[in-house]
Amino acid sequence: MHSKRALDLVLGSVLLTLAAPLLLAAAAARALARPAGGLLVHETAVGLHGRPFVLRTLPVRRLRLDALSRLVHVVRGEMSLVGPAPLPPGAPGADAHWRGAVRPGLTGLAQVRRGSPLPWNEPLMLDQHYVEHHGVGTDVALLLRTPVALLAGPRPRD
């Protein structure tokens, strides 16, 4: 097993276990509201080697539970903790040859750098840079920066 996959499996399982009570409470609240179409949003996304998979998300943005609900896909091996954002087939950049080299991620360079005042903040360019230069050290650094980026939110543009 590769070290990146081991990190995804171990840390993803721990995070999913810790998040499970919040996810269950959010799912119960959503079920009581009786949403049309069910509890989860189902979207097709492009995965490793360009293979499509069905991405199931609990559409609760509060506390980023929507992202945490995708931890199941990390544990199953369809996604990674860190990688380019999952894109639907046909979206700009979804068929880029470099994108299929890694699994899509819950967080990544583009998500951490979102709203940065630096001129190099085009998400596709950041995703490509990540794919070309990723490693476990990079993943750990991005995972550590993600909570800070989420709490800070996007910076206003000039």
Side-chain angles (χ1 to χ4, degrees):
M1 180 182 299
H2 295 279
S3 55
K4 180 174 176 62
R5 179 66 186 131
L7 176 69
D8 285 345
L9 190 55
V10 171
L11 188 55
S13 296
V14 168
L15 290 172
L16 184 57
T17 301
L18 293 174
L22 283 173
L23 293 171
L24 287 172
R30 186 159 163 81
L32 290 174
R34 303 218 186 255
L39 292 177
L40 301 175
V41 172
H42 297 77
E43 302 170 294
T44 301
V46 178
L48 185 64
H49 306 302
R51 291 188 200 113
F53 68 99
V54 177
L55 181 61
R56 293 170 184 86
T57 305
L58 184 63
V60 181
R61 302 277 307 165
R62 178 173 283 137
L63 301 175
R64 295 294 303 187
L65 293 178
D66 57 325
L68 291 177
S69 70
R70 294 178 174 185
L71 283 167
V72 171
H73 295 285
V74 172
V75 174
R76 289 174 47 178
E78 296 166 327
M79 291 183 69
S80 181
L81 290 171
V82 181
L87 295 177
D95 61 352
H97 70 280
W98 51 265
R99 184 173 283 278
V102 297
R103 291 175 177 87
L106 295 182
T107 189
L109 188 55
Q111 291 80 8
V112 170
R113 297 276 306 271
R114 182 175 289 136
S116 169
L118 298 173
W120 192 51
N121 66 354
E122 178 66 33
L124 286 177
M125 289 175 64
L126 292 168
D127 283 345
Q128 183 176 2
H129 180 78
Y130 169 81
V131 170
E132 292 172 351
H133 303 283
H134 74 282
V136 173
T138 302
D139 285 5
V140 170
L142 289 171
L143 285 169
L144 291 174
R145 289 177 54 192
T146 296
V148 174
L150 289 175
L151 292 175
R155 295 186 185 133
R157 294 281 175 180
D158 292 334

